[in-house]
Amino acid sequence: MGVLTVFLDKCTNLPNSDLMTASDPYVRLELEQDNWTKDVDYGYQKSTTKQDDLNPVYGETFTFNIPTLDNMVLTCKIKDDDTGSFDDKLGWCKIKLEELGLSETPMEIERVVDRNVITANGMIFLKLSYSEKEQGAAGGNSGVTDEVDV
Ligand SMILES: [Ca+2]
Ligand SMILES: [Ca+2]
Ligand SMILES: [Ca+2]
């Protein structure tokens, strides 16, 4: 097993979708293995919501336990928190992890999430790293598996 670490830095120039105030953006990180035959879902994680902020700074770290980077796709969806109605979409991007050559040293990634002609594009800024972690590899106790409470 390995561990994918996603450091969500910030977003910039997000579109506004609220009438009297600015958008209240949060980021939903979805991880999926996009296979030829059958896709494998590795779930999603959500950032906090930043109230009335089109340039939200998060500084939040998320980890996913995954067996490999092969065919892995990280989808970032940015949405506006709207109580009482469906959350508006503010932007999204798909990042193919296999092509990046990730290592344990965090790699800075910036992607367009909302393409604009006149104004600046909406962007997301992340740092991604991946480490292959051996399970239960503490000393030479072969045959003994560490139990981890979740
Ligand atoms: Ca809205
Ligand atoms: Ca708002
Ligand atoms: Ca809102």
Side-chain angles (χ1 to χ4, degrees):
M1 282 300 265
V3 179
L4 172 73
T5 304
V6 180
F7 175 75
L8 172 61
D9 185 6
K10 61 181 178 181
C11 298
T12 55
N13 297 305
L14 295 177
N16 194 9
S17 78
D18 283 352
L19 277 180
M20 305 298 284
T21 62
S23 302
D24 318 295
Y26 65 89
V27 181
R28 187 180 148 115
L29 301 166
E30 301 176 358
L31 192 64
E32 192 181 68
Q33 193 175 32
D34 194 4
N35 293 320
W36 179 251
T37 48
K38 198 168 182 291
D39 295 347
V40 184
D41 193 354
Y42 286 92
Y44 72 90
Q45 298 187 44
K46 241 172 75 172
S47 75
T48 58
T49 298
K50 300 295 177 189
Q51 212 72 28
D52 301 331
D53 197 345
L54 301 180
N55 297 281
V57 177
Y58 294 99
E60 295 171 28
T61 302
F62 307 88
T63 54
F64 291 88
N65 292 313
I66 51 174
T68 175
L69 286 175
D70 296 347
N71 295 335
M72 286 290 184
V73 178
L74 179 69
T75 304
C76 309
K77 291 181 180 166
I78 299 119
K79 293 187 166 193
D80 170 32
D81 189 23
D82 284 334
T83 34
S85 67
F86 287 112
D87 293 351
D88 295 311
K89 285 179 187 164
L90 300 177
W92 68 279
C93 69
K94 269 185 195 290
I95 303 171
K96 290 184 178 176
L97 300 180
E98 191 181 350
E99 298 168 355
L100 296 174
L102 294 176
S103 67
E104 294 186 23
T105 310
M107 178 185 286
E108 292 187 25
I109 308 279
E110 52 175 279
R111 289 292 159 93
V112 174
V113 292
D114 179 55
R115 215 164 272 284
N116 295 305
V117 179
I118 300 165
T119 56
N121 287 330
M123 302 287 296
I124 190 168
F125 296 80
L126 307 160
K127 287 195 182 98
L128 300 180
S129 58
Y130 181 72
S131 71
E132 284 177 34
K133 205 171 68 175
E134 283 183 52
Q135 282 200 328
N141 281 344
S142 58
V144 178
T145 311
D146 290 337
E147 294 215 357
V148 181
D149 290 324
V150 179

